[in-house]
Amino acid sequence: MSDAKVMRDGPLEKRSSGLLQLWKKKRCVLTEDGLRLHKGRSGGGGGCGRSGGADAQSSPFGCKAQAKELRFERMATVDCVEYKRGLVYFTVVMATGKEIDFRCPQEGTAWNAEIALALVRYKNLQAVQTGKNRHLLSSSSSSSHLGEDEEL
């Protein structure tokens, strides 16, 4: 996912899967291929800064090494949008059925909308590519059969 174009970068909260299900701040990077979640640290104690950029990606101890990747190829949908007290709550559903809960401020364009649009864009591009591959496969297979018939 490192070569993909960054579409949005900023804070997002993820509900932990532990017993207490606490909300944990994450620095998230939305790309053409999926969503990267970095451990969110308040303050300036190193780790992943907003300026991250090439240094963080090239460093073996940078953000990329600590990031959890939610790739669109493994994502099914973005669901359950709810608005409460200035926050948007939503769920990313993976192809395996696993649900990951997030929340973000309601101001501006919400993360859920951007993730959903990027997921649709990714799935559409995959469908177009699959259709092109099938067309190429069927046209090359039918032209090779025609060539065999002409030789007889």
Side-chain angles (χ1 to χ4, degrees):
M1 219 167 36
S2 61
D3 294 338
K5 176 183 166 193
V6 174
M7 300 163 72
R8 184 168 181 177
D9 183 342
L12 187 60
E13 290 184 67
K14 177 186 169 291
R15 189 190 319 237
S16 67
S17 57
L19 181 63
L20 299 177
Q21 296 188 343
L22 301 172
W23 289 100
K24 296 187 177 184
K25 293 183 189 242
K26 303 286 183 184
R27 177 180 158 254
C28 297
V29 179
L30 179 63
T31 70
E32 296 170 323
D33 294 333
L35 186 65
R36 259 194 322 260
L37 307 172
H38 302 280
K39 290 185 179 182
R41 291 196 175 129
S42 56
C48 302
R50 278 186 168 235
S51 60
D55 294 340
Q57 289 185 3
S58 62
S59 166
F61 303 107
C63 295
K64 188 177 175 201
Q66 298 175 358
K68 178 178 182 179
E69 293 186 10
L70 301 177
R71 298 184 65 82
F72 288 142
E73 64 194 34
R74 296 185 187 121
M75 219 180 268
T77 188
V78 179
D79 276 343
C80 302
V81 177
E82 188 175 348
Y83 301 91
K84 281 186 183 175
R85 291 179 239 130
L87 295 171
V88 179
Y89 292 80
F90 62 97
T91 302
V92 171
V93 182
M94 303 306 286
T96 60
K98 180 180 179 181
E99 296 182 355
I100 305 167
D101 295 326
F102 293 95
R103 72 181 182 187
C104 64
Q106 196 170 339
E107 59 201 36
T109 304
W111 273 95
N112 63 303
E114 293 201 35
I115 294 169
L117 287 171
L119 176 60
V120 167
R121 190 177 302 115
Y122 177 86
K123 298 285 185 183
N124 284 343
L125 288 171
Q126 294 300 310
V128 167
Q129 189 60 45
T130 300
K132 284 181 180 178
N133 290 344
R134 284 185 186 156
H135 177 71
L136 290 172
L137 194 65
S138 66
S139 66
S140 68
S141 125
S142 64
S143 66
S144 67
H145 289 318
L146 289 174
E148 290 172 6
D149 292 341
E150 291 173 0
E151 290 177 7
L152 295 174

